[in-house]
Amino acid sequence: MEPLLKVENLRIELATRAGVAPVIDDLSFELGHGENISFVGESGCGKSMTALAIMGLLPDRIGRIASGRIIFDGEDLTKASEKRLRDLRGNEISMIFQEPMTSLNPVYTVGEQIAEVLREHEKLGKTAAHNAAIELLDAVRIPNPKGRVNDYPFQMSGGQRQRVMIAIALACKPKILIADEPTTALDVTVQAQIFDLLRDLRKEFGTSIIMITHDMGAVAEMAERMIVMYAGRKAEVGPVQQIIEHARHPYTKGLISCVPHIMADPTFEREELTEIPGIVPGLGEFGQNKCLFAERCNMVVDKCLRKRPPEAVFANGQKAACWRAEEV
Amino acid sequence: MTELLEIENLSVRFPVRKKGAGWGGKTYLTAVDSVNFTVRKGETLAIVGESGSGKTTAALAIARLVTGETTGQVRLEGKDILPLQQEQLKAMRRKVQVIFQDPYSSLNPRQRAEDIVREPLDSLTGKSASEKAAIVDELFAAVGLRPEQKRLFPHQFSGGQRQRIGIARALSTRPEVIICDEPVSALDVAVQAQILNLLRRLQADFGLTYLFISHDLGVVQHMCDSVAVMYMGKIVEHADRIALFSNPQHPYTEALLSAVPSVDAKRREETRRILIPGDPPDPLNLPKGCRFASRCPIAEPRCSESEPPLKQAGNGGMVACHLREAG
Ligand SMILES: Nc1ncnc2c1ncn2[C@@H]1O[C@H](COP(=O)(O)OP(=O)(O)O)[C@@H](O)[C@H]1O
Ligand SMILES: Nc1ncnc2c1ncn2[C@@H]1O[C@H](COP(=O)(O)OP(=O)(O)O)[C@@H](O)[C@H]1O
Ligand code: SF4
Ligand code: SF4
Ligand SMILES: [Mg+2]
Ligand SMILES: [Mg+2]
């Protein structure tokens, strides 16, 4: 079967004061029907920009798709009109953001905000939309949905607001749900509830999910495949458990080992954490013909500074853009 | 080992306006409620719990930086610091310093890095200019900043470097205790590792005692020697690191640990996710019995009758639960 979403050689340029830079630089990936993939990487690597490109929501005036294709259900979204994209958003592709307080409108009740989406996209009447909103609040497990439907965002806890965001994103039964760091601001017990909810929705509606996160544990719990982004480029892609056991890109390996992962049986001794020195380069450094991770890599060789590494493809489905991927 | 810090019946309450009580209606929100614990010299005690459980308020009370009404005792080297004033308060502040979560808002944007680091020396000590300059130089090296960065302003640093400035500032008076309130929560994982390693190295080098607040249980497991778990202003469990993580006693601790996503396939398989439904109770309208009763998977009728006290637990620590006392 054709994948639901196919991104091919996507290049997105941002025009900043310092010049034009490829914030997404030759990115290709696929998302299957009902599949859950995760984008990981430190902040500033282009994860959100990838999501915004799929949504047709690149920053006004400064952002543009320079080349490549985004094929959704057979249709190239890079050629779609603004009207068509608006239609797709909310109907076929929805997104939930990190901070639910800033994405909900403070002056409308949560019920009005869900109903609004239903009326616009599903053409429901006023009462039908209101009732459907209550059902959705129930589906995302807001207790007492009949009462809470009239609450304003500030009357809800962070976890409840995020569930409302999910209800809005799901109002039109999208084929793809993009969740950009959906639980970063939430407590772990609430995060666990949100993850459960996302898993159930996927089971029930067959929704494909793209989850953006910096938490490898969350990736391991939620996704089948992961894409590791670095400085606008895909560093590594492959099945999650496989990558966790044997990453093929030094950056991926560093990302996994620099985190103090919780252990079932903690030992008395504690090793120093592996450090990845330095930080992610700024946008101005993107796009150079070299490995952009070279300054932080403990395996760097001359070649890495002279030429962008091609993708090494492994028999097990892993791919890593590193000159020395075989040795990692 | 000796107890450096002894916290006894520490409570902090904030006056808040009461809904529906009309004009002038006032009530109190008790953010920290009769908390007891001790910290040994050189160890790291972690405080964990969900947001709003009172971690920051407790920590700030111990640093004498809280605005709410504080009662109980906070003994540093045997002496209660809550009544201290003026010179004695200054002396205490030299010994207890804080590192904050947000390396962006906790540094004055108009001050140069060296001035920020030197500020506690200016306000709390009578050292000469040359003594202070020498200390600042030493601190820049200790936290991994370059000497030429002394003249820069906060916005010219990355998030991780700003946190290094915050750490250098906290170290300047050679404190006994450093309170770290979510010191790496705003940082990316790679930078987080750099800062956590730095904090552990400094602890060994300077013999520091840490009160380490975090909501990341992986980070806590790596950093601490013992853990206090807070829920709605109360400590519900307090145990050594290994006991708490491998044999948690309080149902809330169990739920918290089971909710942590893990890269370890074995741990994922072995962990039975304990879902705690709903939200914590309204802090202005706390239930009569156990504060966790409305979400506790094993609650019994008696749990809503009386509040469980913190008692000896089966894992060698302390637990506040009617069903989980030792013996
Ligand atoms: N509106 C914008 N104007 C200028 N630069 C931007 C804008 N949005 C993002 N960037 C830059 O693009 C890069 C990628 O950003 P983003 O996609 O948000 O990363 P991530 O989501 O992985 O943290 C970063 O260097 C960021 O600073
Ligand atoms: N200055 C204040 N005035 C009123 N209430 C406060 C103040 N500071 C904290 N609180 C309340 O005290 C409780 C505990 O807050 P806090 O100590 O910040 O928790 P944590 O650090 O665990 O997230 C919360 O209910 C919070 O709203
Ligand atoms: S290409 Fe070179 S610098 Fe880049 S990750 Fe591989 S070894 Fe490191
Ligand atoms: S006292 Fe009762 S309600 Fe509270 S944690 Fe123990 S079993 Fe649960
Ligand atoms: Mg982002
Ligand atoms: Mg706090």
Side-chain angles (χ1 to χ4, degrees):
Chain A
M1 196 160 58
E2 270 293 291
L4 179 60
L5 179 77
K6 204 167 164 181
V7 172
E8 292 176 350
N9 306 104
L10 186 66
R11 179 182 173 93
I12 295 171
E13 293 179 348
L14 279 192
T16 64
R17 265 180 303 168
V20 176
V23 62
I24 299 298
D25 191 358
D26 197 22
L27 174 69
S28 301
F29 72 94
E30 291 177 359
L31 173 69
H33 292 266
E35 193 188 15
N36 191 337
I37 61 173
S38 267
F39 278 79
V40 277
E42 292 164 277
S43 42
C45 284
K47 305 182 300 294
S48 294
M49 206 54 75
T50 306
L52 294 176
I54 298 167
M55 294 288 288
L57 288 174
L58 289 177
D60 251 0
R61 284 193 295 276
I62 64 163
R64 67 168 197 122
I65 295 178
S67 57
R69 305 199 299 166
I70 302 173
I71 317 273
F72 169 70
D73 235 356
E75 178 183 359
D76 186 355
L77 301 188
T78 63
K79 305 239 156 52
S81 68
E82 191 41 52
K83 178 176 179 310
R84 174 71 185 132
L85 287 172
R86 214 171 3 202
D87 248 25
L88 286 171
R89 285 197 291 272
N91 265 330
E92 313 266 343
I93 309 176
S94 292
M95 184 155 169
I96 45 182
F97 297 88
Q98 174 173 343
E99 211 343 287
M101 199 56 197
T102 53
S103 5
L104 287 171
N105 190 329
V107 302
Y108 293 102
T109 67
V110 295
E112 284 166 341
Q113 297 186 55
I114 301 172
E116 151 100 20
V117 181
L118 290 162
R119 286 164 65 186
E120 187 173 319
H121 291 273
E122 304 276 282
K123 311 285 178 246
L124 292 187
K126 214 173 162 166
T127 321
H130 182 79
N131 290 336
I134 293 173
E135 271 173 39
L136 274 166
L137 286 179
D138 191 42
V140 297
R141 305 202 195 112
I142 298 275
N144 179 24
K146 272 207 181 94
R148 304 305 300 270
V149 73
N150 298 318
D151 275 7
Y152 289 90
F154 76 88
Q155 292 172 295
M156 299 191 135
S157 69
Q160 287 173 338
R161 286 198 291 264
Q162 193 57 290
R163 276 176 270 180
V164 169
M165 283 305 299
I166 295 176
I168 291 175
L170 291 172
C172 310
K173 308 195 182 59
K175 296 203 173 105
I176 301 177
L177 178 66
I178 304 177
D180 191 354
E181 313 240 7
T183 56
T184 302
L186 304 176
D187 288 313
V188 278
T189 56
V190 182
Q191 167 172 284
Q193 292 170 10
I194 302 281
F195 283 177
D196 267 10
L197 184 64
L198 290 176
R199 265 191 290 258
D200 286 358
L201 293 166
R202 181 174 162 215
K203 241 185 266 158
E204 199 171 330
F205 302 111
T207 317
S208 303
I209 299 177
I210 297 178
M211 194 171 83
I212 296 172
T213 175
H214 59 265
D215 180 351
M216 277 289 173
V219 174
E221 298 253 337
M222 293 297 289
E224 282 104 51
R225 286 191 304 135
M226 72 164 112
I227 296 175
V228 181
M229 295 285 292
Y230 192 76
R233 294 174 181 170
K234 184 172 66 179
E236 180 158 9
V237 60
V240 169
Q241 204 51 42
Q242 219 172 279
I243 290 185
I244 286 170
E245 276 155 31
H246 187 172
R248 288 296 192 168
H249 195 289
Y251 181 56
T252 316
K253 200 175 160 195
L255 271 186
I256 295 169
S257 59
C258 72
V259 177
H261 297 289
I262 192 161
M263 293 180 285
D265 303 300
T267 50
F268 192 74
E269 285 305 321
R270 280 159 279 174
E271 303 281 307
E272 282 230 320
L273 297 169
T274 316
E275 289 183 25
I276 309 176
I279 55 170
V280 175
L283 189 52
E285 310 278 312
F286 286 26
Q288 300 174 64
N289 185 21
K290 61 180 248 191
C291 176
L292 295 171
F293 186 59
E295 279 72 24
R296 307 174 72 187
C297 181
N298 57 11
M299 290 178 62
V300 60
V301 290
D302 268 359
K303 197 180 187 177
C304 310
L305 298 163
R306 276 186 279 111
K307 210 163 157 26
R308 175 173 178 174
E311 206 163 58
V313 180
F314 293 86
N316 62 11
Q318 261 169 270
K319 296 179 193 169
C322 168
W323 285 114
R324 303 183 63 187
E326 321 274 339
E327 304 159 57
V328 179
Chain B
M1 271 198 275
T2 51
E3 311 288 359
L4 181 68
L5 261 181
E6 296 160 283
I7 314 299
E8 203 178 305
N9 292 328
L10 178 69
S11 295
V12 182
R13 59 178 201 169
F14 297 103
V16 289
R17 299 236 336 255
K18 191 175 179 152
K19 256 189 245 161
W23 190 82
K26 207 170 82 170
T27 182
Y28 287 95
L29 186 153
T30 304
V32 175
D33 194 355
S34 281
V35 155
N36 291 281
F37 62 87
T38 59
V39 192
R40 287 182 295 259
K41 187 170 166 55
E43 84 161 6
T44 300
L45 170 72
I47 305 181
V48 303
E50 57 200 342
S51 55
S53 57
K55 305 181 295 293
T56 295
T57 305
L60 293 183
I62 293 166
R64 283 289 303 270
L65 289 172
V66 84
T67 52
E69 272 176 40
T70 308
T71 54
Q73 287 203 353
V74 174
R75 289 192 297 273
L76 176 68
E77 294 167 329
K79 190 169 164 201
D80 187 9
I81 64 164
L82 292 184
L84 298 183
Q85 293 298 330
Q86 292 170 355
E87 281 312 309
Q88 285 184 315
L89 182 59
K90 270 192 183 177
M92 171 255 143
R93 291 203 189 289
R94 287 197 292 270
K95 291 184 182 166
V96 182
Q97 287 282 322
V98 187
I99 300 168
F100 297 95
Q101 165 174 359
D102 190 350
Y104 300 87
S105 63
S106 62
L107 306 180
N108 182 342
R110 279 187 288 272
Q111 274 190 322
R112 293 182 194 277
E114 60 180 346
D115 300 330
I116 293 174
V117 172
R118 202 190 52 238
E119 193 279 327
L121 293 173
D122 294 338
S123 60
L124 300 174
T125 73
K127 291 189 190 305
S128 71
S130 63
E131 278 177 305
K132 288 189 282 196
I135 293 173
V136 169
D137 285 349
E138 227 176 89
L139 289 169
F140 265 66
V143 300
L145 292 167
R146 294 192 307 277
E148 67 270 22
Q149 292 176 308
K150 283 190 300 186
R151 305 284 299 158
L152 301 181
F153 292 97
H155 73 267
Q156 293 170 297
F157 292 90
S158 69
Q161 287 172 327
R162 279 182 247 211
Q163 201 52 298
R164 288 177 198 268
I165 297 173
I167 293 170
R169 173 178 61 185
L171 284 172
S172 64
T173 58
R174 284 289 158 95
E176 290 284 337
V177 182
I178 297 189
I179 292 168
C180 311
D181 190 1
E182 307 263 7
V184 294
S185 303
L187 305 176
D188 261 310
V189 287
V191 178
Q192 168 179 297
Q194 298 164 12
I195 298 295
L196 293 178
N197 282 343
L198 173 66
L199 285 172
R200 291 196 68 198
R201 231 169 336 198
L202 293 171
Q203 178 166 41
D205 291 352
F206 294 93
L208 295 166
T209 303
Y210 287 149
L211 210 58
F212 192 92
I213 299 175
S214 176
H215 65 268
D216 183 329
L217 289 150
V219 168
V220 165
Q221 192 182 69
H222 181 74
M223 294 296 288
C224 75
D225 299 300
S226 60
V227 191
V229 182
M230 284 189 77
Y231 189 78
M232 298 306 293
K234 287 269 183 201
I235 290 182
V236 295
E237 180 161 8
H238 182 174
D240 280 351
R241 167 174 165 269
I242 291 186
L244 188 115
F245 282 99
S246 55
N247 187 15
Q249 292 296 303
H250 198 279
Y252 176 63
T253 315
E254 286 181 294
L256 207 55
L257 292 180
S258 83
V260 181
S262 167
V263 294
D264 179 4
K266 184 167 155 275
R267 181 176 187 272
R268 280 206 306 281
E269 251 160 52
E270 285 171 1
T271 308
R272 196 173 47 89
R273 166 90 21 103
I274 303 161
L275 277 186
I276 46 172
D279 292 296
D282 178 358
L284 291 176
N285 190 15
L286 288 170
K288 175 165 139 235
C290 174
R291 293 173 188 192
F292 189 54
S294 61
R295 306 167 79 191
C296 179
I298 59 166
E300 292 183 356
R302 64 172 155 155
C303 300
S304 312
E305 296 298 317
S306 65
E307 199 162 356
L310 198 61
K311 281 190 176 171
Q312 206 65 42
N315 62 357
M318 308 284 283
V319 66
C321 171
H322 289 310
L323 276 66
R324 295 288 169 83
E325 288 161 23

